[in-house]
Amino acid sequence: MKIGVIGAGSIGLLFANLMTEKHQVTVITKGTTQARKINDEGIVRVRNDSSYYAKVSAVAFSEVAKILPTFDLLFVAVKQRDVATVLEEIKNVEVVCVFLQNGLAHISKISELNISAYLGIVEHGARRLDLNIVEHTGAGILTVGPLQPRPTFDFQSVYTFDFPIVISKDILTVANEKLIVNAVVNPLTAYFNVTNGELIADEQLAIFMRHVFEEICEILAIKDMNMRLRLYNKVKSICENTASNHSSMLQDIQLKRETEIDPILGYLCQLAKKNGVDAPLCNTVYTLIKKRETEYQDEHQSE
C-alpha cells in the first residue's frame, strides 16, 4: 500500500518509521532541508536502548500536489494551525485521510469538504530528537473512526505488531475524552515545567489538576459522577504510565515554539463563554500560556 504522511514532527516521523515494515511510505515535510535528510539517511526510531532504521521517501510540501493522487491512504500529522493549508491541497483529491490533531477545532472545517475523512486518536508517546530521528517514549494504539458516512477503509491492512489500530464507531466520544486529557495535562505540565508524573506526585499540583479537570467537565456538561470518576482515573493513569514524559506542549514551551493551546484549552474557553459556563481556572491557564508565547515572539522580533 502507498501511504503518505503529511507532517514530519514527532508523530509523523514515528508513524512513517513504524509503517514501512509493510508499506511504501512517503513523508511530506515542511521544507526541503528535512526532506533531503530523510531521503539520504532514512528515519531512525529510538526505543529504550535500541534504534530502528527505516528507509523512507520524503518530499517538501510545496511538491505535494503532484503526488497526492498516488496515495491509497494519507495521514495528516501537522499542527492544528496548518490544517487549513493542507485541506486546500486535498479537498479535490480522492484519497482516504486520517487527521491526527489534538483538540476538536478542526473538525467543522473537515466536515465541510467532500472528502473521505477519518479522525485518529494517538496514544503513542514520541519526541523528535533531530530532523530524521524520533524517540518512541511510549508504545500505544491508534484509534480511528469516520467523520462522515463513507465506505469503510480496511485499516487492519495497515496494522503491524508495533502499530496496532482500533476501529471506533463513535470517534467523537473518544476524541472528547482525549481532549479532556490534553486540556488537563498539556497546559499544566507546560506552565509548571514538570513531567506528566509530577502532576500527580506533587500534592499541590494534583489538587490544582483536579480542580481544572472538574471545571472542564462543567464546560462539556458531563454531569454523571461515575463518568467523571472514570475520566479522572484515565487522566491519572496516563500521568502514571507516562510519568517521565514531557508533554508536547511542554516541549513547545522549552523550544520556544508556538503551542497548541488555542485548539485545546482555547477551544474549551470559547465553548464555556458560548454556553455561559464560568471557567476561571481554564481562562487563567490559557492566558498564562499565551503570555509565554507572546514573550517568545517578542524575543524573535528583537533578534
Side-chain angles (χ1 to χ4, degrees):
M1 188 183 303
K2 295 188 71 174
I3 298 176
V5 180
I6 300 183
S10 57
I11 294 300
L13 292 177
L14 176 66
F15 276 31
N17 179 282
L18 291 172
M19 289 188 293
T20 51
E21 179 182 332
K22 290 175 59 177
H23 306 284
Q24 182 181 341
V25 181
T26 301
V27 177
I28 295 92
T29 64
K30 188 173 184 178
T32 57
T33 300
Q34 187 177 17
R36 190 180 306 114
K37 190 173 184 65
I38 291 172
N39 282 322
D40 291 343
E41 302 177 16
I43 295 175
V44 178
R45 173 171 56 97
V46 179
R47 177 72 172 145
N48 298 325
D49 296 324
S50 301
S51 296
Y52 304 89
Y53 168 85
K55 177 62 177 175
V56 181
S57 299
V59 298
F61 186 75
S62 57
E63 303 293 320
V64 72
K66 301 175 183 178
I67 61 173
L68 277 177
T70 68
F71 293 123
D72 301 302
L73 177 64
L74 190 66
F75 286 95
V76 181
V78 300
K79 297 284 190 179
Q80 273 266 6
R81 59 181 176 270
D82 296 320
V83 170
T85 302
V86 173
L87 290 177
E88 280 299 310
E89 292 291 342
I90 67 177
K91 64 182 180 182
N92 296 318
V93 180
E94 287 292 328
V95 60
V96 177
C97 300
V98 182
F99 292 85
L100 304 173
Q101 289 65 41
N102 289 324
L104 300 176
H106 60 302
I107 291 178
S108 60
K109 298 176 184 177
I110 297 169
S111 300
E112 292 171 0
L113 302 180
N114 185 33
I115 61 175
S116 184
Y118 287 76
L119 193 64
I121 308 300
V122 180
E123 294 186 19
H124 290 273
R127 183 165 63 104
R128 198 179 84 173
L129 303 179
D130 201 348
L131 293 178
N132 68 324
I133 303 175
V134 60
E135 181 182 7
H136 196 179
T137 58
I141 61 172
L142 171 66
T143 304
V144 176
L147 285 176
Q148 297 111 337
R150 292 274 181 158
T152 56
F153 184 85
D154 181 18
F155 282 99
Q156 291 307 312
S157 63
V158 186
Y159 184 108
T160 69
F161 178 79
D162 291 319
F163 193 61
I165 298 175
V166 173
I167 309 302
S168 172
K169 295 181 179 179
D170 188 11
I171 194 64
L172 290 180
T173 296
V174 180
N176 262 311
E177 293 189 4
K178 180 68 181 297
L179 173 63
I180 293 171
V181 173
N182 284 335
V184 172
V185 176
N186 280 13
L188 295 186
T189 54
Y191 182 73
F192 291 109
N193 191 29
V194 295
T195 62
N196 294 354
E198 288 177 271
L199 277 183
I200 54 175
D202 184 289
E203 183 178 356
Q204 291 182 317
L205 287 180
I207 292 171
F208 187 70
M209 182 180 78
R210 183 61 184 260
H211 288 319
V212 171
F213 168 83
E214 295 293 343
E215 192 171 278
I216 290 171
C217 287
E218 290 297 320
I219 295 171
L220 295 174
I222 301 172
K223 304 299 182 183
D224 186 285
M225 290 299 111
N226 288 328
M227 181 177 290
R228 285 198 185 192
L229 179 60
R230 180 181 67 82
L231 290 172
Y232 186 68
N233 285 336
K234 182 175 182 178
V235 173
K236 287 177 59 180
S237 176
I238 287 174
C239 287
E240 291 168 355
N241 294 336
T242 61
S244 61
N245 285 12
H246 292 77
S247 72
S248 59
M249 194 172 292
L250 174 56
Q251 292 178 49
D252 286 337
I253 289 291
Q254 291 172 334
L255 295 173
K256 299 186 177 181
R257 299 185 304 214
E258 183 180 355
T259 73
E260 288 192 291
I261 192 68
D262 283 309
I264 298 176
L265 201 56
Y267 169 81
L268 289 170
C269 290
Q270 290 178 353
L271 186 63
K273 183 177 180 180
K274 177 182 177 181
N275 295 332
V277 178
D278 191 30
L281 293 179
C282 288
N283 279 294
T284 297
V285 174
Y286 171 79
T287 300
L288 291 171
I289 297 294
K290 292 299 291 184
K291 181 68 166 56
R292 289 277 178 88
E293 288 185 350
T294 302
E295 291 170 354
Y296 299 153
Q297 291 169 1
D298 290 343
E299 287 180 14
H300 290 315
Q301 290 173 359
S302 63
E303 291 176 352

